[in-house]
Amino acid sequence: MNARPGNGADRQPLVRISDVNKHFGDAQVLHDVCLDVHAGEVVVIIGPSGSGKSTLCRCVNRLETITSGTITVDGQPLPAEGRELARLRAEAGMVFQSFNLFPHLTVLQNVALGPVKVRGVPRADARERGRQLLARVGLADKADAYPAQLSGGQQQRVAIARALAMDPKVLLFDEPTSALDPEMIQEVLDVLVELAADGMTMIVVTHEMGFARQAADRVVFMDAGRIVETAPPADFFAGPRNERAADFLSKVLHH
């Protein structure tokens, strides 16, 4: 999986996280985190609960503010607030554990809303693009349904279509399958695998080791707020160099 076009390490990274620290009150949850993600690259972040994975992901589109350090998306530092922040969140789309769909809007309205409100796309164009994206995630027949009429897996695929509708430069996934029943997980992972194959830049926080093996260009292992190992999936799963990572893998792969 490491030879997809667009993974050139010689170019400016699309996302650059430099010396990032994050405190919640007296608790420090990120310690001097540095990570570059290049266009077309899929970086999967794994680690035990409380390791800082989700916090790091949320910092990239400023759902969490960092205490110190810098984060840039396509060379631009994170804006503080207002329209520029809304624009950044269009460039760095986020898919959450809980699907966060508007219950009073149809599936198609959910997908088309952002481009109209944030990008200024004409409503008819946004709806047409929304239909295309729903077809892409296998939900063309659900455009007029409401979220409550869908399964969890279907709702999460709508959330992915909604993020894609903004034409983001990078997609951020914060445990996108953790709220799903086991039989629904694969339908969401299949969409992520297809996006990876299409060259979408993605940062994915997940416990799904099979997805990390299959779709990642790099696996990043975090523990106690630090990145302690980064490696291609074949190398990482064959034998992590870090003792904490090896211990984590032995537990998740054998239980």
Side-chain angles (χ1 to χ4, degrees):
M1 287 298 298
N2 297 309
R4 272 203 308 277
N7 290 352
D10 55 329
R11 294 193 302 277
Q12 174 79 4
L14 183 59
V15 177
R16 168 157 279 175
I17 300 167
S18 302
D19 301 314
V20 163
N21 292 280
K22 169 66 178 174
H23 291 80
F24 288 114
D26 293 333
Q28 185 168 358
V29 293
L30 294 177
H31 297 261
D32 298 318
V33 174
C34 296
L35 179 66
D36 285 352
V37 180
H38 289 268
E41 191 175 22
V42 178
V43 173
V44 173
I45 303 176
I46 64 173
S49 296
S51 60
K53 312 182 296 294
S54 291
T55 299
L56 180 62
C57 191
R58 292 168 65 86
C59 285
V60 174
N61 74 346
R62 213 175 178 280
L63 285 169
E64 298 287 357
T65 56
I66 60 177
T67 306
S68 63
T70 59
I71 299 177
T72 59
V73 177
D74 203 14
Q76 300 300 310
L78 301 191
E81 56 189 19
R83 287 186 179 178
E84 289 302 315
L85 182 56
R87 198 166 291 125
L88 166 89
R89 288 181 177 153
E91 306 289 4
M94 187 108 181
V95 178
F96 302 88
Q97 301 178 35
S98 52
F99 325 118
N100 291 6
L101 300 176
F102 292 110
H104 62 290
L105 299 180
T106 67
V107 163
L108 182 58
Q109 288 169 335
N110 266 281
V111 174
L113 183 64
V116 172
K117 296 287 189 184
V118 178
R119 298 280 200 198
V121 175
R123 192 174 302 276
D125 293 350
R127 289 176 67 86
E128 174 60 27
R129 172 78 170 139
R131 290 186 186 278
Q132 294 170 3
L133 290 169
L134 288 172
R136 185 176 181 182
V137 299
L139 293 172
D141 60 333
K142 299 295 185 183
D144 297 323
Y146 287 87
Q149 297 172 298
L150 305 182
S151 70
Q154 289 171 330
Q155 290 187 59
Q156 191 62 295
R157 284 186 281 154
V158 172
I160 294 170
R162 180 181 58 182
L164 288 170
M166 301 298 285
D167 289 323
K169 292 175 179 174
V170 57
L171 272 182
L172 312 169
F173 293 88
D174 182 13
E175 308 251 17
T177 60
S178 66
L180 299 177
D181 293 334
E183 67 269 19
M184 297 175 188
I185 289 173
Q186 194 58 48
E187 68 189 60
V188 172
L189 292 179
D190 287 346
V191 172
L192 268 64
V193 169
E194 288 178 18
L195 292 174
D198 289 344
M200 172 62 71
T201 309
M202 301 196 292
I203 300 173
V204 185
V205 173
T206 186
H207 291 293
E208 298 295 334
M209 298 300 120
F211 172 78
R213 284 182 192 265
Q214 181 179 4
D217 293 297
R218 276 187 296 151
V219 174
V220 171
F221 179 79
M222 291 187 69
D223 185 44
R226 293 178 169 87
I227 292 176
V228 296
E229 184 158 352
T230 302
D235 296 345
F236 182 80
F237 287 104
R241 299 184 304 275
N242 178 273
E243 183 179 335
R244 184 70 183 90
D247 180 61
F248 175 81
L249 265 194
S250 70
K251 290 173 179 171
V252 299
L253 295 179
H254 297 105
H255 288 80

